[in-house]
Amino acid sequence: MDNKSLREQISDLERQIALLPAGSITRKKIRGKEYYYLRNTHNGKRTEKYISFDELPVIKDMIDKRKGLEKILKELKLSVIDENEEASDGLMDMPFKTSVRYGIQLKNQISSVKDFKKRECFNIVRDYVFGPRSDKVLILYGLRRTGKTTIIRQILNEFSVSEFNKAAFIQIKNSDTLADVDSDMRLLEKNGIKYVFIDEITLIDDFVEGAALFSDIYASSGMKIVLSGTDSLGFAFTREDQLYDRCISVHTTFIPYREFDEVLGIHGIDEYIRYGGTMSLGGVNYNEPAPFSDSKHAEEYIDTAIARNIQHSLSVYQYGSHFRLLSELYERGELTNVINRVVENINHSFTKGVIERTFESHDISLTAANLLKDREAPVNIKEHMDIDKITFGIMSMLDILNKEEQSIEIEEDHMVQIKEYLKILDLIMEIDLESLPEVNKKGSITVITQPGLRYAQAEAIVENIILDSKLQQLSARDRKRILNRILTEIRGRMMEEIVILETKLANPDKKVFKLQFPIGEFDMVVCDPSDLTCNIYEIKHSCECVPDQHRHLDDDEKCSMTAHRFGDISGKYVIYRGESADVGDIHYLNVEEYLLSL
């Protein structure tokens, strides 16, 4: 058999071997129970991965098959005649172990995004790729459907012909290993490739432990390397370990209103509340279906993009040592379910808070009367009975929410640790709460940064409660009226959180918070500690200017306490959905215009 045939057979065997698990099976006895693990050693480090009893015979057969193929491969390699062959022209004949695209294949792959508008973080990636030589890699990471792969394709579309001929794109599969990628990187480097984009790199189990390979060997030799993936937590671990001080990080998860408006071409705060959080809603530039169109799709997104993301990262990082208090949940196969419930619990508490705030106990009868006023039909002599029914319905709703909250059983330690990881993913952020005159009374509000996810779950919670048997004595019209009122209040509360969060992120040098008084509050305060001045805001979902909206801003005592504590008040504002205008010393700002200006 000639050398060419031998090499083809060797390449085929290597591909087969790459798809099979490496290592050996070991057995441990823990608390009287037997557990099986797949043990492997890479770069001098030993890893162990748990194997369920159902997987055991299948994995054992696969390991035995791999050992047999490795024996055949070793014999074939000894048969190859040692000769100095010239490198083949181009990359066509290269025995790549992963899915490597270049040339016309890559050109066809990136053509679909040519006319897409670009996210703001695109400029950071472009500056790295076209900037001076660096020994750093760029990691582009974020939850699913936040534009990572699109950004890579947009960068490749900006290459000149000569630069494009020196670029390659690697699509990682679950079966690929770091050794496979290393082998392909060597072939690409040997053939003059200078720009390598590797998508879904975190699918490789040993990526976190061996990521320094990309910076220390290839980037330091002059290659520009962009690593992307949905496993945000895995990248976070890598930044603190193997790629510490050797990477530039670009996180795509948080999509502010201005990008939703400008990139997707979809306008309006209510649209952002319903669908914001991904780059997947229709519009002029992106045409995938929206993942937050209903609670079912939202729950699927939480499970696949968030819960499994966290579990995968923890299982492969430092041999699973970062599970900490979550290890038992993982062993029992319950971790993804508990993560789902934590996110659900955050949104459940938010919804309950909105309903309580809307229908405070002393206002329930008044609220019922106001709901009746909205009726198109004339009020009849049974009006007082209807008020009693609606009041009972609202109280029943609060009772249902309280019981549901008690039924979500999550240990506090588990909740705290999972929230830590959700913060690393940028899925949740905190808004500060300050109080006056009790300056030591502080707190925070947890915000889900993907508003469409929060709204889909909140809407489902309210709709399910409306269908509860306790509320069936209300007419369909009254139930619908209550539902619409609550959903309007939810959108109002979410608009408030969106404005505060985006203001905070846009002003890192300022202190942005909600300020509470014994009676009433300022929805937002923006304080400049350098010149001791502050602006105070009310945030309303209304489209109309109403004097009651700025009654707290007009309160001399509240303003005096605020100025004494945080500095002189330089402006008073109401952010709402109507047109910008001035009413005395109160400046009304349109919410969309305000968010676009940040």
Side-chain angles (χ1 to χ4, degrees), residues 122-258:
F122 172 86
N123 294 324
I124 302 173
V125 183
R126 179 167 54 189
D127 290 346
Y128 166 78
V129 171
F130 296 115
R133 176 171 170 167
S134 168
D135 60 355
K136 294 184 178 182
V137 302
L138 185 138
I139 56 178
L140 182 65
Y141 66 108
L143 296 179
R144 282 176 48 213
R145 298 187 178 186
T146 54
K148 299 178 298 298
T149 304
T150 296
I151 290 171
I152 289 175
R153 292 175 179 177
Q154 289 174 324
I155 289 288
L156 285 163
N157 269 304
E158 296 216 344
F159 278 18
S160 65
V161 174
S162 61
E163 289 167 337
F164 191 80
N165 289 334
K166 296 176 183 177
F169 178 90
I170 301 177
Q171 181 66 57
I172 298 299
K173 306 182 298 297
N174 282 308
S175 56
D176 294 330
T177 66
L178 195 61
D180 295 334
V181 179
D182 183 28
S183 174
D184 290 350
M185 291 288 290
R186 277 186 271 127
L187 287 174
L188 293 170
E189 184 180 40
K190 182 179 177 182
N191 283 272
I193 296 298
K194 297 295 183 185
Y195 307 95
V196 182
F197 300 82
I198 308 178
D199 197 18
E200 298 298 352
I201 185 68
T202 49
L203 290 177
I204 295 175
D205 283 351
D206 50 353
F207 163 69
V208 176
E209 310 299 337
L213 167 81
F214 298 103
S215 59
D216 293 359
I217 296 178
Y218 297 108
S220 63
S221 299
M223 294 179 87
K224 290 297 180 74
I225 300 170
V226 175
L227 307 173
S228 74
T230 56
D231 196 343
S232 302
L233 191 58
F235 276 124
F237 290 151
T238 304
R239 286 202 325 271
E240 298 302 317
D241 192 348
Q242 291 282 308
L243 291 178
Y244 180 74
D245 201 34
R246 286 172 286 184
C247 69
I248 298 167
S249 301
V250 179
H251 203 175
T252 63
T253 293
F254 179 63
I255 302 168
Y257 174 79
R258 64 181 179 276

Side-chain angles (χ1 to χ4, degrees), residues 258-508:
R258 64 181 179 276
E259 287 196 271
F260 183 82
D261 181 285
E262 294 169 356
V263 179
L264 288 174
I266 302 167
H267 313 296
I269 188 65
D270 280 354
E271 290 297 294
Y272 181 65
I273 287 169
R274 287 189 180 95
Y275 305 113
T278 70
M279 304 301 289
S280 299
L281 178 64
V284 297
N285 296 308
Y286 293 74
N287 55 15
E288 296 179 17
F292 306 141
S293 55
D294 55 45
S295 62
K296 179 176 180 292
H297 286 90
E299 287 164 7
E300 288 174 355
Y301 185 86
I302 294 169
D303 185 62
T304 57
I306 300 167
R308 294 184 189 179
N309 181 324
I310 293 173
Q311 177 161 305
H312 177 262
S313 298
L314 295 174
S315 66
V316 300
Y317 181 53
Q318 292 187 353
Y319 325 120
S321 63
H322 265 251
F323 276 117
R324 294 184 288 163
L325 300 171
L326 305 178
S327 57
E328 286 189 19
L329 294 175
Y330 177 67
E331 292 286 353
R332 297 199 302 264
E334 297 176 4
L335 181 55
T336 56
N337 183 45
V338 172
I339 294 169
N340 278 313
R341 283 160 57 200
V342 168
V343 177
E344 179 187 345
N345 184 62
I346 292 169
N347 286 327
H348 188 279
S349 297
F350 163 80
T351 306
K352 177 172 172 283
V354 172
I355 294 175
E356 287 177 338
R357 184 174 171 179
T358 305
F359 303 126
E360 291 178 2
S361 58
H362 62 278
D363 286 332
I364 286 180
S365 295
L366 180 60
T367 300
N370 288 335
L371 286 169
L372 280 173
K373 283 182 184 177
D374 295 336
R375 285 181 168 178
E376 295 175 5
V379 177
N380 58 35
I381 58 173
K382 296 182 179 178
E383 178 181 303
H384 68 280
M385 294 175 63
D386 290 330
I387 291 175
D388 289 341
K389 285 182 180 180
I390 293 175
T391 301
F392 176 77
I394 294 168
M395 294 180 69
S396 297
M397 182 180 293
L398 292 171
D399 183 54
I400 293 165
L401 280 168
N402 285 326
K403 287 178 179 177
E404 284 183 354
E405 189 169 59
Q406 292 165 10
S407 69
I408 302 175
E409 295 180 5
I410 304 170
E411 290 187 23
E412 184 64 24
D413 289 342
H414 294 162
M415 175 81 81
V416 169
Q417 188 176 340
I418 289 169
K419 277 190 171 181
E420 287 176 11
Y421 295 139
L422 294 176
K423 285 179 182 178
I424 293 172
L425 295 180
D426 277 356
L427 181 71
I428 64 173
M429 296 184 188
E430 302 291 329
I431 291 173
D432 292 333
L433 286 176
E434 299 276 349
S435 297
L436 287 177
E438 299 177 75
V439 296
N440 292 325
K441 185 181 177 183
K442 299 179 185 293
S444 64
I445 300 170
T446 301
V447 179
I448 299 284
T449 61
Q450 294 183 311
L453 175 59
R454 166 159 280 184
Y455 188 78
Q457 288 203 323
E459 183 179 42
I461 290 167
V462 177
E463 287 177 345
N464 287 336
I465 292 173
I466 292 291
L467 294 174
D468 190 272
S469 59
K470 288 185 178 180
L471 278 77
Q472 290 310 298
Q473 62 176 297
L474 296 177
S475 69
R477 188 181 296 276
D478 287 339
R479 292 199 305 272
K480 181 69 172 176
R481 192 175 286 111
I482 292 174
L483 174 64
N484 289 340
R485 169 69 186 277
I486 294 172
L487 291 180
T488 298
E489 293 294 332
I490 285 172
R491 290 193 293 273
R493 173 73 177 275
M494 288 185 64
M495 181 179 122
E496 184 181 306
E497 291 183 349
I498 288 164
V499 168
I500 300 172
L501 180 62
E502 294 202 19
T503 302
K504 176 182 177 179
L505 295 175
N507 295 277

Side-chain angles (χ1 to χ4, degrees), residues 525-528 531-536 562-563 566-571:
V525 177
V526 180
C527 170
D528 189 338
D531 63 5
L532 294 178
T533 60
C534 62
N535 292 325
I536 55 178
T562 301
F566 301 106
D568 295 337
I569 295 172
S570 54

Side-chain angles (χ1 to χ4, degrees), residues 74-131:
K74 184 177 180 181
E75 292 172 356
L76 283 176
K77 285 184 173 180
L78 292 173
S79 304
V80 176
I81 299 172
D82 186 15
E83 55 185 24
N84 295 319
E85 296 179 338
E86 291 184 358
S88 60
D89 295 333
L91 301 172
M92 295 300 294
D93 299 324
M94 292 294 101
F96 292 119
K97 297 179 179 180
T98 64
S99 178
V100 181
R101 286 183 171 262
Y102 48 86
I104 190 65
Q105 281 185 332
L106 184 55
K107 200 169 193 66
N108 292 335
Q109 182 177 340
I110 67 174
S111 61
S112 62
V113 304
K114 194 172 183 180
D115 298 324
F116 283 15
K117 291 187 177 181
K118 299 175 177 67
R119 289 199 59 184
E120 294 169 4
C121 57
F122 172 86
N123 294 324
I124 302 173
V125 183
R126 179 167 54 189
D127 290 346
Y128 166 78
V129 171
F130 296 115

